[in-house]
Amino acid sequence: MSDSSPLPPVRLHTEAELARDALSTPLVSRAARLARWAGPDTRVDAGGGLVDEQLPAAAEALGLSGDDAAADASEAWRVAVDAGLVEVVDEDEGTVTAGEDLALLTAGSPQDVLAVWLSAVETVLADASVPDLDGLVDQEGEVDLSALDWDPAGEAEFLDGVLGNLYLLTAGEDTPGAPVPLPALAASVIVPSDMGEPTNDVLEQVSDAMMRLDDQFRMLEPVGLVAYQPVDEALMADADEEPAAPVDDTDVSRYGMVRLTPLGLYGMRARLLEAGYAAPAVGDLADKGADALLDGTAQFPPGAAQAETEQWLQRRESLAAARELLAAARGSDAGAPLRRLRCQQALSLVGASAEPALREVLDDAELGGLARVWLSEHGAVDVPAPSEAMVYWLTIDTVAAQLAAEGNSEELRALVEGLARQHGGFFDAVWRVDHPATADVLEAMGRLHPDKKVAKEARKAAFKARSQQGG
């Protein structure tokens, strides 16, 4: 991901809802319970970790049992220390006390709770980037780091890249929050975008990445960052072993499915913002001016743009909002046509009480056309018919806006074909339109129209328009 390109806007739950989610995550809940459990006899080692002798008691306090109980208690303790729920009082003695942030979980604001949760996330992400060291312990009980092929920065970068791609997929408008197959997610960071058919070497890298991610997502789920369906254990069984039950080889979910939770979406956005990315969220513009709204939603998908606009309108009286939108839609710069399109879409959400604002701009060269459209759609009377010049100007403005919003889409291609078919002598008249985008629109029509003769007419008209504009 490029830190200069804005990411898709996301729709976040309220901070109050997210804070409740954070408090209910298994890891934060355990960390808080251990922070309250700790007392004068609790001891930590030089790194702040709970000493081995006290891990069984900590696991018992958490109601944990089984082979992983001590490890889970140790992880919860590390989160408690890193998140400020526990404070080391004397490093030499290894004594602790409740941290200042522990009280925030019950008496703090939602933002306070989420700040504690974000600290927990950073701890777990750091742990998830560390490889399994169990097989590297020598006869003296020490870890043989020389046998470890581990690049800490590279491992962290890999996991960040995976989570970044998962964020992009979660933020998508078509299937927001839909689970992503683990093979597809691994391939998104391994397979080069310009590679047609992956080589065997690349496929092996994807398979290795899947196994790493399976372990990492299992670690990230208890902190509430992801919802994860692990890889089917049967897939990792020896080839000679008979499966315990019939398996469906076409079921992609057996290879692991993952999605960001609503809390995870919030957390990833916070991390992306911290890293310098432009990561908008619906509602960011609600308290900004109309100019910020129209420019900010220019590249939003339709659903997100409407949701943002609805929130903006909810804070304003309809007539005042309409006047502010119309004023912000003026301009002859390259972004003005798309601003006017967004203005027109926003005005479609405004009630009839905004009519005076639209009548005030009927004679405006840039706004008069869209004002007539709005008034007609709302059943207003005595709406003056537009001049031919205004119709052509509005046509150019509309196509320019669609080009900026969608590029050479099929919808735009259909619009271009319809314009050329419905208006006899269209190109002979339209090249004279005094609009900054006239030549660019005609050139686009020449590219998009499937009829070679019509496309040639459009290109000739574009040449005339550019000559008229002095270009």
Side-chain angles (χ1 to χ4, degrees), residues 343-361:
C343 173
Q344 188 170 3
Q345 292 166 340
L347 289 170
S348 70
L349 304 173
V350 178
S353 59
E355 181 175 335
L358 279 299
R359 288 196 177 275
E360 290 165 5
V361 298

Side-chain angles (χ1 to χ4, degrees), residues 384-398:
S387 65
E388 184 178 70
M390 180 174 285
V391 170
Y392 282 129
W393 193 96
L394 183 59
T395 299
I396 292 294
D397 202 57
T398 300

Side-chain angles (χ1 to χ4, degrees), residues 208-470:
D208 290 343
M210 285 174 56
M211 294 302 99
R212 287 156 60 197
L213 289 172
D214 181 61
D215 290 335
Q216 290 170 327
F217 285 139
R218 289 173 192 257
M219 295 179 67
L220 295 176
E221 189 170 37
V223 79
L225 195 69
V226 299
Y228 183 53
Q229 176 183 326
V231 175
D232 187 346
E233 297 289 345
L235 293 171
M236 293 178 275
D238 291 338
D240 295 336
E241 293 183 12
E242 287 292 328
V247 295
D248 180 3
D249 291 333
T250 64
D251 182 7
V252 70
S253 68
R254 297 180 61 226
Y255 296 87
M257 300 287 287
V258 63
R259 64 175 176 85
L260 286 177
T261 64
L263 186 60
L265 190 63
Y266 166 86
M268 279 305 303
R269 177 175 180 263
R271 298 185 82 243
L272 289 166
L273 290 172
E274 181 69 21
Y277 288 87
V282 172
D284 282 351
L285 306 174
D287 59 351
K288 303 286 196 304
D291 53 345
L293 175 72
L294 298 182
D295 285 333
T297 58
Q299 300 302 326
F300 278 21
Q306 179 170 331
E308 183 72 63
T309 303
E310 287 173 345
Q311 291 196 31
W312 189 88
L313 290 170
Q314 286 170 5
R315 301 191 180 194
R316 291 160 179 81
E317 186 271 325
S318 295
L319 181 57
R323 285 179 173 140
E324 189 179 350
L325 287 165
L326 289 164
R330 288 190 173 93
S332 58
D333 57 285
L338 187 49
R339 282 203 307 277
R340 282 186 282 273
L341 176 62
R342 291 298 189 218
C343 173
Q344 188 170 3
Q345 292 166 340
L347 289 170
S348 70
L349 304 173
V350 178
S353 59
E355 181 175 335
L358 279 299
R359 288 196 177 275
E360 290 165 5
V361 298
L362 281 171
D363 295 331
D364 189 291
E366 296 176 347
L367 304 176
L370 70 84
R372 285 166 170 78
V373 172
W374 187 95
L375 290 167
S376 298
E377 289 178 344
H378 283 74
V381 297
D382 299 327
V383 180
S387 65
E388 184 178 70
M390 180 174 285
V391 170
Y392 282 129
W393 193 96
L394 183 59
T395 299
I396 292 294
D397 202 57
T398 300
V399 176
Q402 295 288 352
L403 276 169
E406 303 173 8
N408 300 335
S409 66
E410 286 302 316
E411 291 79 4
L412 185 57
R413 187 184 300 274
L415 174 61
V416 166
E417 291 182 42
L419 287 171
R421 182 172 58 251
Q422 294 171 14
H423 297 275
F426 176 79
F427 295 113
D428 287 336
V430 78
W431 69 264
R432 297 180 171 85
V433 172
D434 184 18
H435 190 295
T438 298
D440 291 336
V441 165
L442 289 169
E443 286 178 354
M445 293 181 78
R447 289 195 310 272
L448 293 170
H449 205 289
D451 187 296
K452 292 183 178 180
K453 181 180 178 181
V454 176
K456 184 177 180 181
E457 288 182 45
R459 290 193 296 270
K460 287 174 61 178
F463 177 78
K464 292 179 182 179
R466 207 168 290 286
S467 299
Q468 177 178 259
Q469 294 171 349

Side-chain angles (χ1 to χ4, degrees), residues 32-43:
R33 287 164 64 187
L34 282 186
R36 298 185 181 103
W37 163 84
D41 296 330
T42 305
R43 292 293 181 269

